Amino acid sequence: MKMNVIKLIALLAIGSSVNAYAAEPAATQGSSQLLMYIQPVDYSNPIRLWSPYQDYWFYQGPVVEKVALSTFTKAYGDVGMCESNQSGNALVWLQPKLFYNPQVQLFFGEVTADVYKGVGEHIGEYVGKSQVRGFLNMHMQAEASIEKVYAGAIADVVAKMQADSALQANINSHINNKSQQYQTDKSPCAMVTLFPTKKIRVMSF
């Protein structure tokens, strides 16, 4: 009887340690150092690029997300896209624009990045611009040109952010500081609903 009680206590102890170990990753799940947010309208509403021979409709969100994740990860490391259950040390709201001039066959791209820290304090706005020559009436080339022009605009944004020493110090202090205060001052993605509403671009510019 005594031996059975000892075995039971041992099994409970092992189970508790396993549960504690399994729960540890869950506590940190959904947390990144830097989060990016793109408006849902950029995923659900296509914009139109116009030319005399053929219009081109596309969704900005997926293209900007793909390029931004790659560029920001190279610059800042631990980067993720904003979801309701995530939180991060800093949050970057990306707002893309794109215009095509058929007369000179040029794509003009612009991405505005609003940067927030802590519990939603706005610490900077940066605008990146780019232009790429290309043709709208060739589907594959248009796709490549759109991705390229957004890549240039986002690279310009990141360069301007990194050139701002005050912003870099602010972000780095949050990313590198492991104190309890900084860990509790993360920006939850759910807070984006409280940000001032930007002008929504539904169809075209």
Side-chain angles (χ1 to χ4, degrees), residues 135-146:
F135 297 96
L136 200 62
N137 58 350
M138 300 175 65
H139 185 80
M140 295 296 292
Q141 191 181 94
E143 279 188 355
S145 298
I146 289 168

Side-chain angles (χ1 to χ4, degrees), residues 179-192:
S179 70
Q180 184 64 31
Q181 176 187 350
Y182 282 96
Q183 295 309 305
T184 56
D185 279 350
K186 289 177 178 288
S187 299
C189 282
M191 72 179 296
V192 296

Side-chain angles (χ1 to χ4, degrees), residues 171-183:
I171 290 178
N172 289 336
S173 67
H174 275 67
I175 289 178
N176 297 324
N177 197 312
K178 306 299 181 184
S179 70
Q180 184 64 31
Q181 176 187 350
Y182 282 96
Q183 295 309 305

Side-chain angles (χ1 to χ4, degrees), residues 12-91:
L12 288 172
I14 292 170
S16 297
S17 63
V18 169
N19 289 336
Y21 179 79
E24 188 175 347
T28 57
Q29 189 175 7
S31 179
S32 295
Q33 303 292 2
L34 183 68
L35 292 172
M36 294 183 301
Y37 173 73
I38 301 171
Q39 289 185 116
V41 69
D42 289 320
Y43 293 88
S44 61
N45 294 76
I47 67 167
R48 181 186 64 160
L49 301 179
W50 176 87
S51 78
Y53 306 105
Q54 180 178 347
D55 292 345
Y56 186 87
W57 293 81
F58 77 104
Y59 296 92
Q60 297 187 100
V63 186
V64 175
E65 177 181 328
K66 175 186 174 182
V67 176
L69 272 174
S70 174
T71 306
F72 274 87
T73 298
K74 288 177 183 176
Y76 292 101
D78 184 11
V79 176
M81 290 304 299
C82 223
E83 296 178 5
S84 59
N85 62 338
Q86 288 183 309
S87 61
N89 297 89
L91 190 151

